[in-house]
Amino acid sequence: MTVIQEWASDFYKCFIKEDRYKLLLSGVGVTVRVSLLAVFIGIFIGMLIALCNLSKRKPIRFIGSLYTDVIRGTPSVTQLMIIYFVVFATVDWDKWIIAAIAFGINSGAYVSEIIRAGILSVDHGQTEAGRSLGLNAFQTMTRIVIPQAVKNIFPALCNEFIVLIKETAIVGYVGLMDIQKAGDFIKSATFIAFMPLIGTAVIYYVLIKMLTLLLSRIEKMLRKSDIR
């Protein structure tokens, strides 16, 4: 048997036989759902924590700093297992929702620093201009500062989203059949390691490449609006 014939045989056993490719397709759906929900949760939490870290009140700053330190100082897989097996142990929710909450909480700590840096990058004169127009602190922040900060931090947020997709490969620890877990299942069923691992890697690459192209187009549109 030639190498090509051997690869063709492995391909058939891993993906075609018993419709095992459907496991990977199902895994793509799980990965996408978890990642999308997690990124929205992460942005929401990140915004709140960033505002806490920028607050002039020490107790509020302490809360933001504590959250950031704890989340960034512990492994994401540990956080996932604590949230799934401890915090939500008695809650009858879908596994992927709980996993998305765990990743959103984790991502929020990193997003908060991105947002904080973006807000600080906006010239202080913009805040003074908003206040001189009669806007209060909240209105100035939401209508003037944050819209400008978003354009500055958009590339960093895109990178965080891409990292988040790859981090979701650990959801198998809580019994979710994502892309990585599907590949592991195929590997265990066929006793073939190369083909499932390569297939998993290719799927992740394609997903991230498509996302990168989409986000690049959005970034270009934001830059055009700045030029106008």
Side-chain angles (χ1 to χ4, degrees):
M1 183 181 292
T2 65
V3 174
I4 296 178
Q5 289 175 328
E6 185 177 351
W7 283 6
S9 176
D10 289 349
F11 183 89
Y12 174 80
K13 292 177 183 177
C14 292
F15 305 126
I16 307 301
K17 188 177 181 180
E18 298 181 5
D19 292 335
R20 291 192 175 110
Y21 72 91
K22 292 183 180 179
L23 293 173
L24 291 170
L25 293 179
S26 177
V28 170
V30 171
T31 297
V32 171
R33 289 201 306 272
V34 171
S35 300
L36 284 177
L37 181 55
V39 76
F40 286 115
I41 294 173
I43 291 174
F44 177 75
I45 293 176
M47 178 63 71
L48 292 179
I49 299 301
L51 295 177
C52 287
N53 289 332
L54 293 171
S55 175
K56 295 180 180 180
R57 300 180 180 179
K58 289 185 177 180
I60 296 178
R61 284 206 311 273
F62 174 77
I63 293 173
S65 177
L66 179 63
Y67 175 88
T68 304
D69 287 343
V70 170
I71 297 300
R72 295 177 68 180
T74 53
S76 56
V77 64
T78 304
Q79 296 166 17
L80 172 64
M81 296 178 74
I82 290 174
I83 290 173
Y84 184 84
F85 292 110
V86 179
V87 178
F88 288 93
T90 59
V91 178
D92 187 22
W93 287 1
D94 289 340
K95 291 181 179 181
W96 75 270
I97 295 177
I98 299 175
I101 293 173
F103 285 109
I105 292 173
N106 176 270
S107 179
Y110 297 92
V111 171
S112 68
E113 289 300 293
I114 295 173
I115 295 176
R116 185 181 67 85
I119 291 174
L120 292 176
S121 70
V122 177
D123 189 89
H124 187 65
Q126 299 291 323
T127 301
E128 295 177 347
R131 299 306 295 271
S132 67
L133 292 173
L135 301 177
N136 58 37
F138 178 78
Q139 291 172 328
T140 302
M141 179 63 70
T142 55
R143 298 182 184 182
I144 296 178
V145 177
I146 290 179
Q148 295 182 62
V150 167
K151 295 180 181 180
N152 296 335
I153 67 177
F154 186 77
L157 286 177
C158 294
N159 184 64
E160 173 61 23
F161 189 20
I162 290 171
V163 171
L164 184 61
I165 291 177
K166 292 184 286 187
E167 284 188 346
T168 59
I170 62 173
V171 294
Y173 279 95
V174 295
L176 273 173
M177 185 68 76
D178 70 320
I179 299 171
Q180 185 63 52
K181 190 66 175 180
D184 291 342
F185 181 86
I186 294 172
K187 183 176 64 175
S188 300
T190 61
F191 299 101
I192 299 172
F194 176 77
M195 199 63 68
L197 290 174
I198 292 298
T200 300
V202 169
I203 292 173
Y204 273 114
Y205 175 79
V206 171
L207 277 178
I208 291 172
K209 188 64 176 180
M210 291 172 60
L211 178 63
T212 301
L213 293 174
L214 174 62
L215 295 176
S216 296
R217 293 192 63 179
I218 296 175
E219 184 180 354
K220 289 179 181 179
M221 292 172 60
L222 292 175
R223 287 179 179 177
K224 287 183 179 179
S225 67
D226 281 341
I227 297 174
R228 293 176 184 174

